[in-house]
Amino acid sequence: MSKKVLVIGSSNTDMVVKTAAFPKPGETVLGGKFFMNPGGKGANQAVAAARLGANVRFVAKTGNDIFGKQAAEGFVKEDLDTQFLIQTNDFASGVALISVNEKGENQIVVASGANMDLKPQDLPDAIFENVEWALVQLEIPMQTIEYVVKKCASLNIKVILNPAPADTLKDELLKDIYLITPNETETQLLTGILPENPEKLEQAASFFHQKGVENVVITLGKDGVFLSNNSYSQIIPAVEVDPMDTTAAGDVFNGAVLAALSNGKDWIEACEFACNAAALSVTRMGAQSSAPFLKELN
C-alpha cells in the first residue's frame, strides 16, 4: 500500500450565482445560473490531490445535516480515506455564498460552522500513521493547525501550509513548515511586502526562509508562480487560458503540488504540473467539480 498524504481542513457547500456585475452595497441585481457545489479549501485540495494521483486521507468536521451527509458521500465517490471524518450535532456544516461575474472573478462569504469546531482532541494519533506529507489551510482553528504542524514535525511528516485565508502566523509554526504557498495578497499580509516584481518576490521569499520555511511558492495568478528554495529562485509561467470561474484555482494548485511532490516529481515539474492543473480548473465552473483528473494532464 502506498504511503498516504494527509489533508486536514474545511468542508463547505458552495452556493454560486453567476452575475454580469457584482452588486454595490444596498443594490439588488438579477443574476443568472445558480449552482450548488461541494467546496471548502480543505475538501477542494483533498479532491484535487486524489484526482491527480495521490492516496489521500481527509480529515474534517461537518454538521450532522444534509450538507454534511452529501459531502461525506462525495468524498467516498472521490476515493478519499474518510475514516476520520467527524460529524457533529452542535454546529451546522460550513457554507459559502459565492458570486461570479462575467470576467470570472469572484466574491465569497463563508459561514464556517462545524469547520471552526475541529479541535486537536478530534485528531487521534492514528490519522498520522503511514503518512509522509500533510497539507493544511487556515479555514479551521489556528490551535488545531499549530497542533497538526507540531505533531507532523515530531513524526518527520513534510507539511505544506496554504495560508488562506491569510492570518497571523507564529514563528514557532513557520519553522516547522516544509512548503508555504501564499498568493500575492496573502504574501503581502504575512510579510509586509507586495510581491510586484522579481526583487520584491525575492524579499518576500527571504522573509519566510528566515523564519525557517525551507521552500516557498508564491502564486501569481495568470503570471504563474515564484519558486524559492536552496536550488531555485525563479518564476514558472502559467498556461494562458480564457477563465470562466477562478473560485478554486488556488486549491487545485495546492492539491496538485501535493500530488506531484508525493509522487516524486522535482520542484520544477511539480510547479509546472500544478500550474497546468490550475489553468484547466479555471475553464470550468465550481470548486471540487473543476479539479481535473490525471489523465487530462498527461
Side-chain angles (χ1 to χ4, degrees):
M1 182 68 176
S2 65
K3 290 270 191 180
K4 288 186 183 289
V5 299
L6 175 63
V7 181
I8 300 177
S10 54
S11 172
N12 292 324
T13 298
D14 292 347
M15 300 181 192
V16 186
V17 177
K18 293 275 279 183
T19 178
F22 297 128
K24 299 179 181 71
E27 181 186 15
T28 299
V29 298
L30 294 179
K33 291 181 179 177
F34 171 75
F35 306 87
M36 196 161 75
N37 301 311
K41 289 186 182 301
N44 295 345
Q45 293 174 17
V47 168
R51 289 186 178 184
L52 293 168
N55 181 2
V56 180
R57 174 178 292 152
F58 181 51
V59 181
K61 185 177 263 192
T62 68
N64 188 17
D65 52 32
I66 188 166
F67 295 136
K69 287 168 183 169
Q70 285 178 342
E73 289 170 8
F75 300 148
V76 171
K77 287 178 184 170
E78 296 287 352
D79 206 24
L80 303 183
D81 173 354
T82 59
Q83 61 181 311
F84 299 103
L85 198 66
I86 305 150
Q87 286 195 332
T88 178
N89 292 314
D90 297 333
F91 293 89
S93 296
V95 295
L97 307 179
I98 303 174
S99 302
V100 180
N101 70 10
E102 59 191 5
K103 298 177 185 174
E105 299 167 328
N106 59 58
Q107 291 184 341
I108 305 174
V109 178
V110 177
S112 297
N115 292 307
M116 294 311 288
D117 190 51
L118 182 61
K119 301 187 173 98
Q121 54 264 39
D122 293 320
L123 307 176
D125 287 350
I127 70 169
F128 300 97
E129 290 175 2
N130 198 37
V131 167
E132 285 186 344
W133 293 80
L135 170 60
V136 288
Q137 329 72 30
L138 303 183
E139 286 187 334
I140 58 176
M142 187 61 74
Q143 65 169 13
T144 305
I145 294 158
E146 290 170 354
Y147 170 79
V148 169
V149 170
K150 185 164 287 216
K151 184 76 174 177
C152 286
S154 73
L155 297 169
N156 292 317
I157 296 170
K158 294 174 180 173
V159 177
I160 301 172
L161 173 63
N162 175 223
D167 198 354
T168 305
L169 300 175
K170 295 177 183 173
D171 290 355
E172 186 70 17
L173 174 75
L174 287 170
K175 74 178 177 57
D176 290 327
I177 300 299
Y178 182 73
L179 166 63
I180 195 166
T181 60
N183 64 20
E184 294 159 286
T185 303
E186 291 148 7
T187 298
Q188 184 176 19
L189 285 167
L190 290 168
T191 69
I193 300 163
L194 177 64
E196 58 191 344
N197 57 46
E199 184 185 0
K200 297 289 187 183
L201 283 164
E202 296 256 12
Q203 289 175 10
S206 179
F207 173 93
F208 290 119
H209 291 319
Q210 287 168 13
K211 301 292 185 183
V213 182
E214 282 185 59
N215 305 284
V216 178
V217 172
I218 299 172
T219 60
L220 307 171
K222 62 180 173 39
D223 294 323
V225 302
F226 177 72
L227 166 65
S228 177
N229 57 24
N230 283 335
S231 303
Y232 300 100
S233 178
Q234 67 186 82
I235 289 176
I236 295 159
V239 180
E240 277 192 47
V241 293
D242 187 13
M244 179 184 290
D245 178 12
T246 60
T247 301
D251 295 334
V252 170
F253 180 88
N254 278 275
V257 159
L258 173 65
L261 292 173
S262 68
N263 282 314
K265 289 186 186 290
D266 67 28
W267 283 103
I268 300 294
E269 289 174 329
C271 288
E272 289 175 344
F273 177 80
C275 283
N276 290 342
L280 192 51
S281 78
V282 303
T283 65
R284 304 167 174 175
M285 285 297 297
Q288 281 162 47
S289 54
S290 72
F293 290 87
L294 187 58
K295 63 189 178 188
E296 296 178 274
L297 294 179
N298 288 340

